Amino acid sequence: MSDRKLQDSLGNLEKAMAKLESALQIPRDRELVVEGTIQRFEYVIELMWKTLKRALEFEGVHPKTPRESVKEAFKIGWLDDEDEWLDMLDSRNTTSHNYLDEELAEDNYDDIVHVAPVLRKTVDFLRARYPLQP
């Protein structure tokens, strides 16, 4: 695993996180805002587990799945609440099926509002651990 791949992955994660945070600033009075925010959450979770996997591989740990990546990151102290992270992975796997159910979409949106600071904290932790090299 090259540092370049990890840096690219982390850069993409940072961009996706910024887009999610900007979506959360838009009033949610329109259906497309909720759906778009859920979509951005899906991107962040996908990039998050892949970035965790690359970072772990850089450290000599080789998880194979999203769940293993989360469990290993928790085990070494990079994540605070393993169950919350596993729930986020599960949520990412189900949100794409919930667009037609407006009430479920609203619940998903509320969950995203709750976990966004946790996601931000992890992005910031990873960037501090793997700073951009000049």
Side-chain angles (χ1 to χ4, degrees):
M1 163 65 55
S2 74
D3 188 41
R4 181 79 253 144
K5 277 191 165 194
L6 176 54
Q7 287 297 328
D8 289 347
S9 187
L10 188 48
N12 289 335
L13 174 60
E14 288 175 312
K15 289 176 196 164
M17 187 68 215
K19 286 183 169 280
L20 174 61
E21 289 169 329
S22 71
L24 289 169
Q25 300 304 309
I26 301 169
R28 66 193 246 184
D29 58 349
R30 294 194 185 122
E31 183 180 347
L32 286 178
V33 171
V34 171
E35 290 176 10
T37 301
I38 291 170
Q39 180 91 52
R40 287 180 177 192
F41 168 76
E42 291 170 357
Y43 293 150
V44 167
I45 294 300
E46 188 72 14
L47 290 168
M48 180 66 78
W49 83 259
K50 288 178 179 179
T51 303
L52 285 171
K53 182 179 188 300
R54 285 194 171 112
L56 288 162
E57 288 171 347
F58 189 77
E59 301 290 337
V61 179
H62 299 281
K64 294 182 180 20
T65 66
R67 290 182 89 71
E68 280 181 36
S69 299
V70 165
K71 286 177 176 285
E72 290 296 329
F74 174 75
K75 207 182 296 185
I76 62 174
W78 290 2
L79 306 176
D80 292 331
D81 186 336
E82 183 179 15
D83 290 335
E84 183 172 46
W85 278 93
L86 294 174
D87 286 348
M88 280 191 259
L89 284 179
D90 292 341
S91 181
R92 186 261 174 258
N93 291 330
T94 58
T95 52
S96 58
H97 306 293
N98 293 342
Y99 286 120
L100 299 177
D101 185 328
E102 197 171 314
E103 189 174 323
L104 272 178
E106 289 288 335
D107 289 346
N108 286 334
Y109 184 95
D110 292 339
D111 291 343
I112 293 166
V113 168
H114 171 75
V115 299
V118 175
L119 293 166
R120 168 48 68 193
K121 179 180 173 187
T122 305
V123 170
D124 291 346
F125 166 81
L126 289 169
R127 177 48 76 204
R129 185 168 181 87
Y130 305 102
L132 284 170
Q133 302 300 316

